[in-house]
Structures are given as structure tokens and as C-alpha cells.
Amino acid sequence: MHTKTLKQLSALLQTKQVSATELARHFLQRIDASDLNAFLHVDAGLTLAQAAAADARLARGDSTALTGIPIAHKDIFVTRDWRATAGSKMLENYISPFDATVVERFNSAGMVTLGKLNCDEFAMGSSNQNSHFGPVRNPWDKLAIPGGSSGGSAAAIAARLSPAATATDTGGSIRQPASLCGVTGIKPTYGRVSRFGMIAFASSLDQAGPIAQTAEDCALLLNAMAGFDPRDSTSLERADEDFTRDLQRDVRGLRIGVPREYFGEGLAPDVEQAVRAALAEYEKLGATLVDISLPKTALSIPVYYVIAPAEASSNLSRFDGVRYGHRAEHYGDLSDMYKRTRAEGFGEEVKLRILVGAYVLSHGYYDAYYLQAQKIRRLIAEDFKQAFTQCDVIMGPVSPTVAWDLGEKVDDPVANYLADIFTLSTSLAGLPGMSIPCGFGQGEKNSRRPVGLQLIGNYFEEAKLLNIAHQYQLATGWHQMQPLA
Ligand code: GLN
């Protein structure tokens, strides 16, 4: 049952070959037996109550394609019934008085929540090793990281602990863990999906999206997830779309832009080989490859690591021991209470980013760092604008290497930052991006670790990206491969 795609499970539910309750029990059992540390909070009673409601809806005949399908949410989305920790000690026991818009939308479609998924603290990281609740293991090799910050989401899909998961991407956190765990994920155009109830990291970059086994499943999930929300001031007012509408279109004549800068020094040979093989597959399907340049790619790292910490330093000021979560037990005056609370509640990486953020925003440095970064951010978006005059979609690797070992790069923030080189610029430009499984590499350890192909589209072209990804998945079997455990 767990090997089936969301689309297949939906058909079984609609024809009453399986009930929502049976599905929920099956996945809860798998979660219970798993040793990946992908889930932070599971409550079978709550899940089964939602499943019973879904079964009643299915019996009444007022169901949607998603009714009765289990889903798990990254623990960055607030939920009324489950804890919302953001992977932080600061919010260890926090329960929100409301559901995030994304959660609310899936609930009203009749989906069944399996629980909350582990992630890097406040979504800061690319290996899930910054979670206060311990790292998640990669189901393909339990000695490897799953990627981050949505490591729990990607690992849960890869290990078939859930057919669907939510995730968020600020600089790569949907695409990179999807790539390292061999599953499919899409980060929509900035503003497509409501940020209301998503615990904020860097508001001008944060964007939610789905992770699942296939592009087709992601399209079905995005149909429910996307849409205008008056409670999010950056939500886009656009007509609702059916993201499955173009899935069947063939890719003959498609012009694929291959950025030179994505295939240079630093790209591991095993990753390059898998990505080039995927490009060759697209040529077989009738697409043509166009050599393009995104000259500002290297600058995306310093730009992102100025802008994201700047926004984080402001967003995280709300965690003061008064309004949310943890408060130090022993303190002197009010200011001492703030200091101790934040010293105890935040982990190392979060503190580092708050310091960097406060520094680049401070008087005297603002012009040199923050303002400069904003200007270059604009030029990065111009790179893409120029590229899309020559091609319909851009493709390349998601991550320069396959998943690294647990314990590696823990004390080296810069090594982590460098691994984001191929995902940051898409986020800075606000463009939609995807990762689909396209093979395996060896890493250094001679184990089998997945490689993802990145697809970057122009603004609002999610339906096109999903179409292009689906056509590849019709022709290849990488997305169907599963880890042994
Ligand atoms: N790895 C990047 C960071 O650490 C991106 C994280 C994300 O997209 N949430 O900030």
C-alpha cells in the first residue's frame, strides 16, 4: 500500500477498495517502526479522527481527489492540534491557536494529517543537523544526511512513511532534500502559496511547496495548496489554476537552457554524470539543449547569506520569552530574562545568523552589505530574465554532491553554505524550481545515494515545470526506486 503514489491511492479511496482509516493505520504503523527520526510529533487519536471524517465524506460522495490521503507537515507550519516546534528548543512545547493556511487548505480538502516532520531549526540549514531534536537519517543510507532544511519531509516520502508532505524553501530547502533523498519536490513562484502560519525565517524568500513521489502527485497537492490569501500581504492575487492541466503534453521542441556556471569546478563527477544522462533523455524525447550563462551564480551565496540572516534577525526578535515558547527559569531583570531566554532557546546556527543579520543591518554597515546585496539580488533576477529569452526551462544539478555523511560539516557553516550554490539564485529571483530523481552517485563511501535534476521555470510556470517533469517520469523509472529499509 505504501509504495503507491498519491494518485493511485486516490483511485483506491474513490472506488472504496481501501478506506481512509485503513490507510492512516498502515502509515502510522510504518512511522512507528521507523528509526529515521523524521517525525517529531505523532498523535494516532487525532489522525484516526480525521480519517473517520474523511471516510464519512467519501461515503457521502462529497470528496475531492485528496480526501482520505495521508499527509505530514514540516514542523514549520503551525497546527492547532499538533505541536509546532520549528525544530527549536524555543518552541519545544508550543501549540498554536490556529492552523497555517496551507494546513487549513489540506484539511478542508479532507486530507489526513499523520504528524509533524523534523527540520533544521527555523529552517536554517541544508543537512537537518541543526534540529534541536537530532538529525534525520537518509533512508538510502542511514549514515548520510537527508538534506535540509526539509529533511524530515524528504526522508518520509523516500521511506514511504507518507504519500505526501509539505515543505518550505527559502534557499533550496525543498529541492535539495528532495534531491538527496531521491523524491520529487517543487518550490512555486514566490507568492503562490500563503505564508500565513509558516514560522518565518526570511520573509522575502520563504515559500512552501509539496514533496511526493511524482510530479503528478505534486501537481495535485499544489492545486490545493496554492491560492490567494488575504492574511499574507505578499500573496499573489491570481485566478486559481489546475496544475495538472499540461501534464500530458509532450516535450518535442522544448528548449532546455543548460547554464555553464552549473557544470564547472566543484560539481562532483557522479552528480554531473547523472544530470547529463537526464539531459540526454530529454533530447531523446525531442527537446534541444541550449548553452546559456547565469553569470552572477557565484554571487548568490554572499547575497543570500546577507539578506536571509538580515530578515531572520528581525523575524526572530519575537521569541523573547514573553510572547512565545521558552522562558529562562532564572533571571534578574527584564533584559536579563531576554538574554537568558534567547541564549538557552536558540541553537548555534540560529544565533550565528541573528548576529550576522544584526551586523549587516547596523548603522554604518547597512549600505556596504545589505543595500549592496539587494542590488545584486536584482542583477541575479536579470540573469534569469535574459536566459529565458533563449530557452523555455533551465536544467542542471540541485546539489554539487550527493548526500554527505552525518557528522560531516557540522562545525563548518561555510561548507554548508557553499553546498547551496545551485539553489539560492532561483529563490533570490522568486522563480519556481523543482527537483526530480535522475539517478545515483557513489559519494565517497561507495554507497548508493540519490541525485536530483533541477528544473527552473519562468514566473508562474509551475504547470509547465510539472509537465516537463512528468514526461521524464513517464519515460524513466528513477522516481519509482525505493530504499531497502
Ligand atoms: N540551506 C539554506 C540555509 O541554510 C536554505 C535553507 C532553506 O531553504 N530554508 O539558509
Side-chain angles (χ1 to χ4, degrees):
M1 196 60 70
H2 50 271
T3 60
K4 299 212 175 338
T5 65
L6 183 161
K7 172 88 197 242
Q8 291 165 336
L9 291 176
S10 175
L12 293 179
L13 285 162
Q14 299 295 331
T15 52
K16 312 274 188 296
Q17 293 178 68
V18 69
S19 72
T21 303
E22 282 165 332
L23 272 187
R25 282 192 197 284
H26 180 73
F27 283 103
L28 285 171
Q29 255 163 30
R30 289 185 63 76
I31 294 165
D32 197 38
S34 156
D35 59 357
L36 299 170
N37 199 27
F39 278 80
L40 293 179
H41 191 193
V42 175
D43 183 326
L46 289 172
T47 300
L48 292 173
Q50 285 193 346
D55 279 328
R57 253 178 98 163
L58 284 156
R60 281 201 308 275
D62 75 348
S63 56
T64 74
L66 298 176
T67 306
I69 302 281
I71 188 166
H73 297 298
K74 180 175 182 179
D75 210 13
I76 207 86
F77 293 97
V78 301
T79 34
R80 213 194 320 238
D81 297 316
W82 284 263
R83 282 193 294 272
T85 68
S88 182
K89 180 177 177 189
M90 191 59 99
L91 293 172
E92 199 161 14
N93 296 308
Y94 179 66
I95 294 199
S96 162
F98 62 91
D99 283 323
T101 297
V102 163
V103 173
E104 202 177 85
R105 282 175 159 265
F106 284 129
N107 284 347
S108 61
M111 292 194 88
V112 176
T113 305
L114 291 171
K116 303 297 289 292
L117 296 161
N118 203 345
C119 58
D120 280 306
E121 186 175 5
F122 291 103
M124 298 176 190
S126 37
S127 71
N128 218 117
Q129 299 187 106
N130 295 337
S131 168
H132 172 66
F133 305 100
V136 175
R137 293 177 181 275
N138 189 317
W140 290 95
D141 179 345
K142 290 182 184 168
L143 298 178
I145 56 118
S149 63
S150 312
S153 308
I157 300 299
R160 307 302 192 242
L161 303 180
S162 175
T166 54
T168 61
D169 191 311
T170 303
S173 281
I174 291 176
R175 292 161 285 156
Q176 188 255 19
S179 171
L180 303 192
C181 286
V183 294
T184 303
I186 180 165
K187 176 199 96 76
T189 306
Y190 179 79
R192 267 281 194 205
V193 175
S194 169
R195 290 184 297 106
F196 183 76
M198 232 169 83
I199 297 171
F201 162 14
S203 308
S204 76
L205 295 154
D206 295 344
Q207 186 59 201
I211 296 184
Q213 289 177 36
T214 67
E216 185 172 40
D217 288 358
C218 284
L220 290 165
L221 290 163
L222 202 54
N223 275 352
M225 208 171 181
F228 175 65
D229 182 0
R231 293 174 298 184
D232 170 2
S233 61
T234 56
S235 169
L236 296 164
E237 276 196 80
R238 290 177 69 90
D240 280 350
E241 277 184 40
D242 176 7
F243 293 101
T244 66
R245 68 181 187 272
D246 291 331
L247 289 179
Q248 304 311 330
R249 194 174 282 185
D250 70 50
V251 297
R252 262 175 292 166
L254 183 78
R255 294 169 306 161
I256 300 175
V258 183
R260 254 166 265 162
E261 293 78 6
Y262 285 36
F263 290 86
E265 208 190 319
L267 179 62
D270 53 352
V271 174
E272 172 158 11
Q273 203 184 6
V275 170
R276 293 233 186 250
L279 294 175
E281 181 65 38
Y282 272 108
E283 284 186 291
K284 270 207 277 175
L285 296 174
T288 51
L289 305 184
V290 186
D291 175 40
I292 62 159
S293 175
L294 297 170
K296 303 280 184 303
T297 299
L299 290 175
S300 64
I301 297 180
V303 167
Y304 174 89
Y305 283 100
V306 166
I307 293 174
E311 294 184 18
S313 73
S314 163
N315 274 327
L316 270 57
S317 65
R318 74 192 68 181
F319 301 104
D320 55 7
V322 178
R323 287 172 288 190
Y324 302 91
H326 179 77
R327 177 187 295 178
E329 216 173 303
H330 306 288
Y331 52 86
D333 59 5
L334 179 66
S335 137
D336 190 47
M337 190 280 281
Y338 290 151
K339 284 185 199 151
R340 285 177 193 270
T341 294
R342 289 167 68 83
E344 291 169 11
F346 291 138
E348 290 303 307
E349 181 66 25
V350 173
K351 284 179 194 161
L352 175 68
R353 297 207 190 188
I354 291 172
L355 286 174
V356 170
Y359 180 82
V360 299
L361 288 175
S362 61
H363 182 72
Y365 293 107
Y366 179 92
D367 287 354
Y369 295 110
Y370 184 73
L371 194 62
Q372 192 66 11
Q374 290 291 15
K375 288 179 184 165
I376 302 171
R377 179 178 189 175
R378 179 55 184 266
L379 297 177
I380 289 169
E382 289 294 323
D383 270 6
F384 283 107
K385 199 170 165 197
Q386 175 59 33
F388 281 120
T389 62
Q390 296 163 262
C391 62
D392 307 305
V393 64
I394 294 170
M395 290 191 196
V398 175
S399 166
T401 65
V402 294
W404 53 93
D405 286 352
L406 279 165
E408 227 182 281
K409 304 189 194 179
V410 243
D411 301 320
D412 189 352
V414 175
N416 278 283
Y417 301 172
L418 291 175
D420 295 335
I421 176 85
F422 303 133
T423 53
L424 297 178
S425 40
T426 320
S427 296
L428 288 163
L431 291 166
M434 250 192 114
S435 176
I436 56 175
C438 73
F440 291 87
Q442 302 291 313
E444 285 160 20
K445 292 285 149 44
N446 226 20
S447 73
R448 221 164 121 81
R449 298 184 183 182
V451 177
L453 174 72
Q454 182 168 206
L455 284 64
I456 303 168
N458 214 336
Y459 298 106
F460 311 118
E461 291 194 337
E462 291 84 358
K464 190 192 220 164
L465 285 184
L466 291 159
N467 156 237
I468 297 167
H470 181 63
Q471 291 299 310
Y472 179 81
Q473 294 185 332
L474 287 176
T476 59
W478 300 114
H479 61 291
Q480 289 162 335
M481 306 225 160
Q482 290 172 58
L484 288 174

